[in-house]
Amino acid sequence: MQIADDQQDVQHSIPDLDHVNIKLGDDEKQVNQISSNTVSQVQQPQQVAIPIQQLPSKTQDIQFLSQLFHCLFKGLAIFVFFIPEGLLNLTYCFIIVVILSAIDFWTVKNITGRKLVGLRWWSEVKEDGSEEWIYECQVANFVPNPFNSNIFWFAQFGVVLTWGILILLDLIGFRWFNAVLAMTAFCLTGINFVGFYKCRGEHQKKAKEYMTKIGLKAIQQW
């Protein structure tokens, strides 16, 4: 009886092998899972999104109204200038031509120049009495339509050339009143033309600098 009891005590002291195998199996599964995750992390590199600098927007659409008003007041001023004296008094002719030229000056300087070619200029008088010309160019978000640009510059250069020729013809024909009127219109259109021509130079310079910056950023990000 004592021997049997000793055998039972020995059997009870032996650990449950099935239970041990189950625990070892769980540990192996956990280790295998950790190792597989580690391998997957090593084999699958992280994808880094490289931001790309946005290019200027697409070419703007043809703007018929801007083109119309860009040429309308110029044409009307020249048309009134050629009205014979018998149909329109010279004084009224002078007033109407100057008003139309002034309206054209303001329209081109503040509206059509900005709409058609993305340019604008103005001048400011400093405290010391000197005048400073300021140029505004749309570079990042505006690309002018070639047709709009051609209409703008052709009309500006054409009206300046027309008034210049009329000045010479009136001076040769000794028509002093008409010569003074043509000079007045020539000054208004000429100042606008010079302002936009200088602004165009600033625009080209800024456009080159802007495209250079985009290229450098793209190279650095790559």
Side-chain angles (χ1 to χ4, degrees):
M1 293 295 294
Q2 185 176 2
I3 294 172
D5 295 336
D6 293 338
Q7 290 179 353
Q8 291 178 357
D9 294 337
V10 171
Q11 291 177 357
H12 285 297
S13 62
I14 296 175
D16 191 356
L17 295 178
D18 295 336
H19 183 68
V20 172
N21 291 332
I22 291 172
K23 287 186 177 181
L24 290 175
D26 293 339
D27 292 338
E28 289 176 357
K29 291 180 181 179
Q30 184 175 4
V31 171
N32 291 332
Q33 185 177 3
I34 294 173
S35 62
S36 63
N37 293 335
T38 305
V39 172
S40 63
Q41 290 178 359
V42 173
Q43 293 178 353
Q44 298 179 359
Q46 295 181 352
Q47 297 180 356
V48 180
I50 301 175
I52 300 175
Q53 183 71 24
Q54 292 184 354
L55 294 174
S57 59
K58 295 182 179 180
T59 302
Q60 299 293 324
D61 296 332
I62 296 174
Q63 299 185 6
F64 177 75
L65 289 178
S66 297
Q67 296 174 1
L68 175 64
F69 285 102
H70 182 70
C71 302
L72 177 63
F73 300 109
K74 296 179 178 65
L76 288 176
I78 296 174
F79 174 78
V80 173
F81 181 84
F82 282 104
I83 294 178
E85 184 179 354
L87 298 177
L88 183 64
N89 186 274
L90 289 178
T91 303
Y92 292 148
C93 178
F94 189 94
I95 294 173
I96 293 173
V97 170
V98 171
I99 290 175
L100 289 174
S101 299
I103 294 174
D104 175 72
F105 178 86
W106 184 89
T107 303
V108 174
K109 178 175 173 291
N110 296 285
I111 299 177
T112 60
R114 180 170 51 85
K115 294 287 186 181
L116 297 179
V117 291
L119 304 176
R120 185 169 175 262
W121 70 271
W122 67 92
S123 61
E124 293 182 355
V125 179
K126 296 182 179 180
E127 296 180 355
D128 57 357
S130 61
E131 185 178 7
E132 179 183 8
W133 288 46
I134 302 174
Y135 307 102
E136 182 181 81
C137 312
Q138 300 183 31
V139 178
N141 300 319
F142 184 87
V143 178
N145 185 287
F147 187 73
N148 292 339
S149 181
N150 292 334
I151 289 292
F152 178 86
W153 290 110
F154 179 79
Q156 282 300 113
F157 180 76
V159 72
V160 172
L161 182 62
T162 301
W163 287 120
I165 294 174
L166 291 175
I167 292 172
L168 293 177
L169 293 177
D170 291 331
L171 289 176
I172 294 173
F174 300 103
R175 295 185 293 270
W176 307 115
F177 185 87
N178 291 339
V180 173
L181 178 56
M183 287 180 184
T184 304
F186 176 82
C187 290
L188 290 173
T189 55
I191 292 173
N192 230 357
F193 178 77
V194 172
F196 277 104
Y197 184 78
K198 291 183 177 180
C199 190
R200 181 187 181 187
E202 293 292 328
H203 170 72
Q204 293 176 348
K205 185 188 300 183
K206 290 182 179 179
K208 290 180 180 179
E209 294 176 355
Y210 180 76
M211 295 306 295
T212 302
K213 289 180 180 179
I214 291 179
L216 292 175
K217 287 183 178 179
I219 293 173
Q220 291 174 359
Q221 291 174 0
W222 182 261

